[in-house]
Amino acid sequence: MEDLRVLDDEHAIAARKEVYRVTIILSVLTIIELALGYSMVNMSEQSFSRHLIKGIILILMLAKAFYIVAYFMHLKHEIRNLIMTIVLPLGLFVWFIIAFLADGNSFREMRNKYAPYNQESNIPVQQKPPGEHEKGTIEMKKAVE
């Protein structure tokens, strides 16, 4: 009976060390992501270094997602077939999101090209003062009479 208690204590210590290790890894990845994000603040939108940093942040986010799924959803210790039943639909879901965003962007671009009155613009529309519309209407009526 004493041997089982010792084995249980050793298992608890090993599990605790693993949780601490994963927590430290996730914390370090998060701090690196934040530092990279703050370094992009003063960069121009189209610079190569900004796109490179965004790519690095994306890779770090995927690594964090792997650790979270593997350790906190307990998939690291499961058999390969069970892991694939979760990862494959997740991959398809991400692919669907990318495909729908690309399709929506294509629709917007085609709508702007073939129906220019729908074109999106960031130029503000100039509003006429409230009485100006009525003056033009009255002057047109006088001209017609």
Side-chain angles (χ1 to χ4, degrees):
M1 189 69 164
E2 189 67 33
D3 291 337
L4 292 176
R5 180 169 290 162
V6 170
L7 288 176
D8 193 37
D9 289 342
E10 289 175 2
H11 178 71
I13 291 171
R16 189 175 298 128
K17 284 182 181 180
E18 186 177 36
V19 168
Y20 287 150
R21 184 177 58 85
V22 171
T23 303
I24 289 170
I25 289 172
L26 290 174
S27 299
V28 167
L29 288 175
T30 302
I31 290 169
I32 292 171
E33 286 176 358
L34 287 171
L36 288 173
Y38 283 127
S39 72
M40 289 189 334
V41 170
N42 294 326
M43 291 183 186
S44 71
E45 284 291 322
Q46 299 302 323
S47 68
F48 175 75
S49 57
R50 185 177 179 105
H51 291 299
L52 181 67
I53 291 174
K54 284 182 181 181
I56 292 170
I57 289 173
L58 188 67
I59 291 169
L60 292 174
M61 286 172 31
L62 289 173
K64 278 177 38 177
F66 166 77
Y67 272 104
I68 290 168
V69 168
Y71 287 99
F72 294 113
M73 293 178 67
H74 307 288
L75 285 182
K76 177 137 176 94
H77 307 293
E78 295 294 338
I79 59 174
R80 182 179 169 89
N81 288 339
L82 179 64
I83 294 172
M84 286 300 134
T85 60
I86 294 171
V87 172
L88 188 63
L90 179 65
L92 289 172
F93 182 70
V94 170
W95 179 70
F96 285 147
I97 290 174
I98 292 169
F100 289 142
L101 287 174
D103 188 46
N105 189 41
S106 172
F107 175 76
R108 186 186 70 186
E109 294 299 323
M110 287 178 60
R111 185 184 69 188
N112 288 342
K113 182 178 179 183
Y114 294 112
Y117 57 89
N118 284 333
Q119 191 161 9
E120 297 172 11
S121 174
N122 59 0
I123 301 172
V125 176
Q126 301 226 347
Q127 299 290 331
K128 293 184 179 181
E132 193 171 318
H133 294 293
E134 295 151 3
K135 289 179 189 174
T137 308
I138 294 171
E139 290 171 3
M140 288 297 286
K141 285 182 180 177
K142 287 181 182 177
V144 172
E145 293 174 354

